[in-house]
């Protein structure tokens, strides 16, 4: 007897673009995949006066700040208690500065001084805003996981991050059964993904080696180790204990706690919410 149950096919449920590293971004209906990530994603970053990357790890107040990407690649930044500021793309012919992105030295182009003053006043710290003018050559992907010539923007380490709604549901169920149940359920924004897939099994992503979303294929490089940023309410900047407390009990890989998988594009193209999702190969196949 035929079943009346409708089996949903896995699909792209949302896209997330963060023009300025560590700030909130947008959830567009479509986005272009470039070799180094989504077009316009994390081409801007804050650095301290020693050149080291500044993120929510140091300043939780960056969570409620946001950046909107402008058509020319510039950004309009907003934050609580501050008037919005439009920042144009700086001219690389004026010179670059060296910044340190988690141990990797990268040449970047300084933004106009008013951007530095805006962020410094907001954070109460001396910071500067910089732009990556040419992601094709500025920063290689970690050679332990990369193929020759692969590069990345100012993202933590890889061009994209994929998460699944099924795994978030499973994690929230574990949080609800734990000793900080009052902190859950957590929204997906805590994990700052690039792409979110619906219709899979929980933790199925652990087995993926290659995937396709629509017409674009990706190599699954490694699980994503999670940090204190995931404990930060992205609307208020208030930190808690979860999900790190629960991940440390249930999702540990060596010294890291993990959620989501890092991706490197194999092809380019346009992703659209609703695009079908396919697993092209699992770790057992390669």
């Amino acid at each position: 007897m035929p079943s009346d149950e409708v089996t949903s096919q896995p699909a792209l449920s949302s896209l997330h673009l963060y023009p300025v590293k560590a700030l909130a971004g947008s959830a567009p209906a479509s986005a272009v995949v470039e070799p180094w990530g989504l077009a316009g994603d994390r081409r801007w970053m804050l650095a301290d006066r020693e050149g080291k990357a500044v993120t929510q790890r140091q300043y939780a107040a960056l969570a409620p700040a946001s950046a909107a990407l402008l058509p020319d690649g510039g950004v309009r930044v907003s934050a609580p208690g501050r008037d919005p500021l439009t920042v144009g793309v700086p001219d690389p012919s004026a010179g670059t500065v060296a910044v340190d992105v988690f141990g990797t030295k990268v040449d970047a182009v300084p933004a106009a001084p008013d951007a530095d003053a805006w962020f410094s006043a907001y954070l109460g710290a001396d910071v500067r805003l910089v732009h990556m003018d040419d992601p094709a050559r500025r920063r290689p992907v970690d050679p332990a996981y990369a193929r020759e010539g692969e590069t990345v923007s100012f993202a933590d380490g890889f061009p994209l991050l994929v998460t699944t709604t099924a795994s978030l549901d499973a994690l929230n169920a574990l949080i609800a059964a734990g000793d900080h149940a009052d902190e859950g359920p957590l929204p997906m924004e805590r994990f700052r993904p690039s792409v979110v897939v619906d219709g899979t099994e929980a933790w199925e992503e652990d087995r993926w080696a290659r995937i396709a979303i629509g017409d674009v294929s990706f190599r699954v490089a490694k699980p994503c180790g999670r940090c204190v940023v995931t404990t930060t309410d992205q609307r208020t900047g208030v930190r808690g204990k979860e999900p790190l407390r629960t991940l440390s009990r249930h999702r540990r890989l060596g010294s890291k706690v993990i959620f989501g998988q890092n991706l490197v594009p194999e092809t380019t193209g346009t992703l659209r919410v609703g695009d079908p999702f396919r697993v092209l190969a699992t770790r057992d196949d390669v």
Side-chain angles (χ1 to χ4, degrees):
M1 182 174 181
S3 171
D4 293 332
E5 182 178 344
V6 176
T7 302
S8 62
Q9 297 298 313
L12 178 64
S13 63
S14 62
L15 286 158
H16 302 271
L17 186 70
Y18 313 95
V20 179
K21 182 178 180 67
L23 272 64
S26 63
S30 64
V32 173
V33 177
E34 298 176 329
W36 38 84
L38 298 179
D41 185 65
R42 284 171 276 212
R43 294 284 296 275
W44 298 83
M45 185 186 78
L46 291 168
D48 64 21
R49 287 299 161 170
E50 285 69 52
K52 291 187 177 181
V54 169
T55 73
Q56 290 183 35
R57 293 166 176 83
Q58 298 92 0
Y59 296 100
L62 288 173
S66 64
L69 184 66
L70 303 178
D72 64 354
V75 288
R76 185 167 175 80
V77 293
S78 305
R82 303 289 300 169
D83 291 332
L85 178 71
T86 297
V87 185
V89 176
D91 183 357
S93 68
T96 61
V97 295
V99 295
D100 184 330
V101 188
F102 307 134
T104 301
K105 298 294 184 182
V106 182
D107 288 331
V109 186
D114 61 340
D116 298 350
W118 191 93
F119 279 104
S120 295
Y122 175 60
L123 293 178
D126 192 6
V127 297
R128 71 190 328 176
L129 182 66
V130 298
H131 180 256
M132 183 179 287
D133 62 317
D134 187 1
R137 65 186 179 89
R138 289 299 189 192
R139 184 183 175 214
V141 173
D142 184 341
Y145 301 95
R147 294 174 181 169
E148 185 174 356
E150 291 179 338
T151 60
V152 61
S153 66
F154 285 130
D156 274 8
F158 295 87
L160 293 95
L161 170 68
V162 60
T163 59
T164 71
T165 55
S167 293
L168 179 62
D169 289 345
L171 175 60
N172 277 326
L174 292 170
I175 291 172
D179 51 7
H180 289 277
D182 59 308
E183 292 189 25
L186 300 182
M188 190 66 85
E189 65 184 12
R190 287 289 187 96
F191 301 95
R192 297 178 63 84
S194 309
V195 292
V196 181
V197 174
D198 195 18
T200 67
E201 297 294 328
W203 315 124
E204 178 186 327
E205 61 271 26
D206 291 348
R207 299 186 292 107
W208 298 342
R210 295 180 61 240
I211 62 173
I213 303 173
D215 296 327
V216 185
S217 63
F218 303 88
R219 188 176 82 256
V220 182
K222 65 181 288 292
C224 184
R226 309 313 309 215
C227 70
V228 70
V229 171
T230 60
T231 70
T232 309
D233 186 317
Q234 295 296 295
R235 309 300 172 90
T236 66
V238 175
R239 297 208 205 272
K241 298 292 185 182
E242 295 292 1
L244 292 186
R245 178 68 64 88
T246 296
L247 288 174
S248 68
R249 293 171 176 170
H250 299 278
R251 298 285 299 164
R252 183 175 288 278
L253 183 64
S255 62
K256 301 287 187 180
V257 297
I258 60 171
F259 187 89
Q261 298 283 333
N262 291 297
L263 303 179
V264 179
E266 294 182 326
T267 60
T268 58
T270 300
L271 300 180
R272 297 174 179 85
V273 171
D275 277 348
F277 169 85
R278 294 172 292 141
V279 178
L280 302 178
T282 68
R283 298 196 183 280
D284 294 333
D285 300 327
V286 298

